[in-house]
Amino acid sequence: MSSLLLPMLVGLSLAGEPTMPSTSPSLDLVMPGAKPNMDDSYLCSSFDVTKLSQATDPQSELHVTGFVPKADAQKAHHMLLYSCDEPNEKPGVVYDCLHHSMCRGGQSIMFAWAKNAPPTTLPPGVSFNINPAQRKYLVLQIHYAHPLQEEDKTGLSLTYQVDPTTYTAGILLMVKGGLTIPPNTPVVHGDVNCRLPSDTPLNMFAFRTHAHSLSPVITGYVYNEEGHKYREIARGSPQWPQAFYPMKKVQTVSPGEILTARCTYNSTGVNHVTNIGSTAGDEMCNLYIMFFTKPGKVADYLMCANEQEGPAISRGLPSDSDKPPAAMPELEAHAMNSSVKTGSKEINYADLFKEEQQQSTTKKKGGLEEATIRTAYFNLTMPGVTPTRQDDYLCTGISMSNLEPVRRLWAVEFSALSTGNQAHHMIVSKCKNPVKTVEGGTWDCRHHAMCRDSSKIMFAWAKHAAPTELPGDVGFKLEKDDYLVLQVHYVNPLLTPDHSGIRMRFVDNSPKYTAGMYLLLRRQLAIPPDTTGIHGDVNCQAKIRSPIHVFAYRTHAHTLGSVITGYRYSPHTQEWRLLAKGNPNWPQAFYPMQTTMTVNPGEILAARCTYNTTGHHTPTKIGATGGDEMCNLYLMFYTLSTQDDFLVCVDEQNPGLTSQLPPGNDLPLPPNPALEHKAAGQEASLVSAGQEASLVSYSNGLPVADTVPSPAKKGESSVKKRPGVDNGSVKKKPGVEPIYGAPQSAPLPPLPDTLLSTHGQP
């Protein structure tokens, strides 16, 4: 265990009642006359298992099946049992283990007790293993809150057997390392979460909470991101005897699932700040979970510290996660005074395990088989259209069954085959029923729809924006009955046929995550002339099945838009978090976010479009022409839900929230002449014809709090700095070389088994 973690672990807890009669042999661990002389003393003593074992061979492996405390909470604040490679002092010596270490080598927690908790018997066929050949020392640590006048002989007896058991027990400790609890505050949360720290399933059967006087409840959950589901596994009061209480049923937690714990504090009547620390006047936040597995599958001590998976997991916890269990005055009284009887003299998990022991199906999971990823390119282009009027919106489409009649495909990369001087903007959508289904057909899609059914935007481009490549293991799913539809907005008529379009890359292996688009838009807004700081606002509740992880965004307005910002608002914490901030007069690419932001079901998304009409002497409205304005924020995300691939948020569902937007929401980003020139097509030099433009990639960068890592691209191990725009540090990105006269691409032949297959424009 890291020495950095020791200070927050030196005061954790479990059991105390009269010794239970037992026919099993036992290891009797007794403090050899400890005499604490100050408040919050942490004293330890070590024990050589080979000297205490009653086995014929002292080196025999022992299998501990029960714990019988011999302690009283009026003397011992808590007691911890560790296994230890080499103790700091030899057996028979009492030593300080708050300011000095307990062991010189490795150590792990085996048991904990506090507040007069009763003896504990493990389920049949389950035991903690002690192998003297590997680790022969046990260390008993006692936290004495106050000095004692007489020598103390607090102890713990371990019942054991020599015959091996079917399953091995272990402890998983969830711990909060730091928290400031303000005074006179009724609800304060300390949260912990991590992905299961095991590559084999753990069968959890008991839990123990530990905090000090300010905590009324600690809860534990298993979180499954798909469906945003929380499964409660623990709810206990740290003011009760701090025993390992049986779970309602054995909870099997699989690799990849997330464990989360919440410690709740009430500091009403406390007039000073309280911190997590090692003294009785401090607080703690610990949830111990006892589990079993087949022997040799996992270590017998695991740890989960702080919010490793980010605060989004904590924000989504059920609303009753801080609700204390039903009051049990007799337990609270017994926790303070062992003479108060509760009717419970022992905790035994035998009944809980009858079915589990008979029907255990835990198996080791094998690795994933390697698969060949087949890739193909396709140019979705206009078939030589000639727009004849201003603000023409023209569409064309193609059936996915014509591209690939056998395999399902996923789109993973997009790049433009045009420039901002030719096409005002382009959008690629998917739908089941476009206005025209014949390949090569075109139609007016300003006055008529792109599709007769609902269309789902996959990509949008304007103002010389750079290409976009999705993170690894993320893709837009395309069914065989889908159509791809390209919409191009031409501001002015053209004299020659146009072949503007989007080049797409497809793969045929199913990614883990589904890519999606969340479009926030304002439908109507009157923008007065010669005015600064006009706002168009959008907000709505995220009606999603699973959390979405936003990794890129794109702003869209016309010439009067100065800045568009996007936020996530948590009704639970009442906190705002900036998602996006962009200048719509820069290339309208999907810019990578510095950190991937998670949005949970039920949270609020908000956008603000800000306009400046200084020097513009006529009113402007939101509309479809180049002389009108628009207010669009596109959020590109990935999710485990295959159904949440396109969502729309229109206007203000909650106008009251608009007034609460954080300060600076309409402050423009610093000027960037290079990007402004690029958006206008005025770069000093463009890439030569036929040369591939640089990609905006989302598969690199390091996550911070409230983020999840973007899925890594296969075969890419180097970590690079993400180009960021949230703080205005937009870097210049190369544009896309115009490719005119490109013919409509032919249907994709069957994808090859190995190398790339490229179709359409080279």
Side-chain angles (χ1 to χ4, degrees):
M1 182 186 305
S2 169
S3 60
L4 294 176
L5 291 175
L6 281 176
M8 65 183 183
L9 294 179
V10 294
L12 322 178
S13 4
L14 192 246
E17 277 273 336
T19 304
M20 299 292 294
S22 174
T23 57
S24 301
S26 64
L27 302 176
D28 298 319
L29 316 179
V30 180
M31 289 296 283
K35 193 173 181 181
N37 56 14
M38 63 180 188
D39 286 344
D40 295 305
S41 292
Y42 282 75
L43 301 180
C44 287
S45 188
S46 65
F47 303 87
D48 185 338
V49 172
T50 62
K51 304 297 184 184
L52 299 177
S53 173
Q54 301 173 38
T56 304
D57 181 359
Q59 296 294 329
S60 296
E61 186 172 344
L62 305 182
H63 305 275
V64 177
T65 58
F67 302 88
V68 181
K70 303 171 183 177
D72 192 307
Q74 292 181 343
K75 289 184 178 180
H77 179 273
H78 77 249
M79 175 167 55
L80 287 176
L81 175 65
Y82 289 84
S83 62
C84 184
D85 285 345
E86 183 74 24
N88 210 38
E89 296 287 348
K90 63 183 180 179
V93 175
V94 176
Y95 58 96
D96 177 0
C97 50
L98 172 60
H99 303 96
H100 306 283
S101 62
M102 283 183 296
C103 303
R104 294 193 180 99
Q107 63 189 43
S108 59
I109 295 175
M110 182 180 293
F111 193 67
W113 169 96
K115 295 195 174 185
N116 297 321
T120 296
T121 300
L122 297 183
V126 176
S127 67
F128 284 91
N129 290 354
I130 300 176
N131 186 348
Q134 297 176 355
R135 184 177 283 181
K136 71 174 185 176
Y137 291 100
L138 298 174
V139 172
L140 197 60
Q141 178 201 76
I142 311 293
H143 173 197
Y144 297 96
H146 305 292
L148 296 179
Q149 297 300 316
E150 300 177 352
E151 292 185 349
D152 180 57
K153 297 185 182 296
T154 291
L156 179 68
S157 291
L158 284 60
T159 58
Y160 68 88
Q161 63 186 51
V162 176
D163 294 334
T165 53
T166 305
Y167 300 99
T168 299
I171 297 290
L172 190 156
L173 171 60
M174 304 185 71
V175 58
K176 184 78 174 176
L179 183 69
T180 298
I181 303 169
N184 290 300
T185 306
V187 178
V188 180
H189 294 149
D191 294 309
V192 184
N193 60 60
C194 69
R195 216 162 282 275
L196 185 74
S198 167
D199 59 4
T200 191
L202 301 184
N203 305 292
M204 301 178 178
F205 63 92
F207 69 92
R208 172 185 176 269
T209 65
H210 179 69
H212 295 168
S213 60
L214 299 185
S215 177
V217 63
I218 295 177
T219 51
Y221 297 85
V222 177
Y223 174 67
N224 193 307
E225 184 176 331
E226 188 168 5
H228 193 54
K229 297 175 182 176
Y230 291 82
R231 184 170 86 245
E232 183 178 311
I233 60 173
R235 183 182 299 266
S237 170
Q239 308 313 315
W240 296 348
Q242 293 184 1
F244 278 93
Y245 293 97
M247 294 180 180
K248 293 180 180 178
K249 64 177 183 178
V250 175
Q251 299 282 351
T252 299
V253 183
S254 300
E257 290 190 297
I258 293 171
L259 292 167
T260 180
R262 166 161 284 174
C263 301
T264 300
Y265 304 91
N266 181 352
S267 63
T268 302
V270 177
N271 299 318
H272 57 80
V273 170
T274 306
N275 295 303
I276 282 183
S278 60
T279 76
D282 295 323
E283 267 300 338
M284 288 190 171
C285 174
N286 302 332
L287 177 63
Y288 296 80
I289 296 173
M290 200 176 282
F291 64 85
F292 70 88
T293 60
K294 287 283 189 178
K297 297 295 185 182
V298 68
D300 59 4
Y301 178 61
L302 305 170
M303 180 179 287
C304 171
N306 302 320
E307 292 176 283
Q308 297 178 23
E309 295 298 314
I313 306 297
S314 303
R315 290 199 319 271
L317 282 167
S319 58
D320 66 348
S321 62
D322 53 11
K323 181 181 178 182
M328 299 186 72
E330 70 281 4
L331 284 181
E332 295 175 18
H334 182 76
M336 301 300 295
N337 186 343
S338 61
S339 65
V340 177
K341 301 304 179 183
T342 65
S344 175
K345 295 185 177 181
E346 182 184 13
I347 293 179
N348 193 311
Y349 307 102
D351 292 340
L352 183 69
F353 272 67
K354 287 180 180 177
E355 181 177 351
E356 300 295 329
Q357 297 292 302
Q358 295 170 359
Q359 301 180 1
S360 174
T361 57
T362 303
K363 297 180 180 178
K364 182 178 180 180
K365 292 187 175 180
L368 297 176
E369 295 181 359
E370 294 294 328
T372 301
I373 303 171
R374 288 165 286 207
T375 303
Y377 288 89
F378 176 71
N379 290 352
L380 178 60
T381 60
M382 280 293 173
V385 297
T386 306
T388 59
R389 58 189 174 183
Q390 288 188 326
D391 294 306
D392 246 355
Y393 283 73
L394 299 178
C395 285
T396 189
I398 188 169
S399 168
M400 287 304 301
S401 61
N402 288 344
L403 291 180
E404 171 50 54
V406 178
R407 299 181 180 94
R408 178 183 292 169
L409 300 180
W410 285 263
V412 297
E413 186 181 314
F414 304 86
S415 58
L417 305 172
S418 183
T419 72
N421 298 332
Q422 190 83 359
H424 178 273
H425 76 248
M426 295 187 288
I427 293 176
V428 175
S429 299
K430 65 177 181 177
C431 66
K432 305 292 185 185
N433 189 14
V435 170
K436 290 187 178 181
T437 58
V438 59
E439 185 175 348
T442 62
W443 63 94
D444 175 358
C445 50
R446 173 181 172 184
H447 300 93
H448 304 282
M450 297 174 66
C451 301
R452 292 186 175 91
D453 62 340
S454 61
S455 59
K456 298 180 177 182
I457 295 175
M458 299 165 57
F459 184 70
W461 172 95
K463 295 191 176 185
H464 301 271
T468 293
E469 182 182 24
L470 302 188
D473 223 3
V474 175
F476 285 96
K477 183 178 68 171
L478 293 161
E479 303 286 357
K480 295 177 186 177
D481 60 347
D482 280 334
Y483 282 80
L484 292 175
V485 177
L486 170 69
Q487 179 200 79
V488 181
H489 173 197
Y490 298 95
V491 174
N492 300 307
L494 297 178
L495 298 177
T496 58
D498 181 57
H499 296 275
S500 293
I502 301 292
R503 188 186 198 208
M504 289 179 283
R505 181 164 67 90
F506 300 103
V507 297
D508 70 340
N509 66 307
S510 175
K512 178 179 180 181
Y513 296 98
T514 296
M517 190 77 67
Y518 217 127
L519 172 59
L520 287 77
L521 66 92
R522 179 88 182 189
R523 290 181 298 186
Q524 295 180 334
L525 185 68
I527 304 172
D530 292 297
T531 308
T532 61
I534 302 116
H535 296 149
D537 291 300
V538 185
N539 63 57
C540 65
Q541 188 176 53
K543 295 182 178 179
I544 48 182
R545 295 166 179 82
S546 297
I548 60 173
H549 308 290
V550 182
F551 62 88
Y553 64 90
R554 172 183 179 267
T555 63
H556 181 68
H558 296 169
T559 57
L560 302 180
S562 59
V563 65
I564 297 177
T565 50
Y567 294 90
R568 180 200 69 208
Y569 175 73
S570 171
H572 181 63
T573 62
Q574 298 184 345
E575 293 177 343
W576 293 89
R577 185 68 181 266
L578 182 68
L579 283 174
K581 189 169 190 175
N583 184 341
N585 290 301
W586 293 347
Q588 292 185 2
F590 278 93
Y591 290 100
M593 297 174 62
Q594 288 183 320
T595 55
T596 300
M597 294 284 192
T598 300
V599 180
N600 285 331
E603 293 186 320
I604 307 295
L605 291 172
R608 166 161 282 181
C609 301
T610 301
Y611 304 92
N612 183 349
T613 61
T614 302
H616 192 81
H617 306 308
T618 58
T620 307
K621 67 180 189 306
I622 284 181
T625 74
D628 294 324
E629 267 302 335
M630 288 190 172
C631 174
N632 298 339
L633 175 63
Y634 297 82
L635 301 176
M636 194 178 284
F637 62 83
Y638 60 86
T639 178
L640 288 175
S641 170
T642 58
Q643 302 175 65
D644 291 334
D645 55 353
F646 183 67
L647 304 137
V648 181
C649 174
V650 180
D651 299 332
E652 294 173 277
Q653 290 185 8
N654 186 347
L657 273 180
T658 300
S659 62
Q660 302 176 32
L661 285 170
N665 59 76
D666 55 3
L667 184 67
L669 292 167
N672 193 316
L675 286 176
E676 290 157 15
H677 290 159
K678 181 179 175 57
Q682 298 170 352
E683 286 185 300
S685 62
L686 294 174
V687 292
S688 59
Q691 188 175 11
E692 190 69 43
S694 297
L695 289 173
V696 179
S697 176
Y698 309 102
S699 59
N700 46 51
L702 296 176
V704 295
D706 196 32
T707 71
V708 295
S710 292
K713 202 181 304 177
K714 295 177 176 64
E716 181 173 64
S717 59
S718 61
V719 177
K720 306 171 186 176
K721 184 178 180 182
R722 245 185 246 269
V725 297
D726 290 342
N727 59 2
S729 60
V730 182
K731 297 185 178 180
K732 183 176 179 181
K733 302 180 179 71
V736 179
E737 174 66 19
I739 304 178
Y740 299 113
Q744 183 77 14
S745 299
L748 289 172
L751 293 170
D753 288 337
T754 52
L755 300 178
L756 298 182
S757 176
T758 304
H759 304 275
Q761 182 67 27

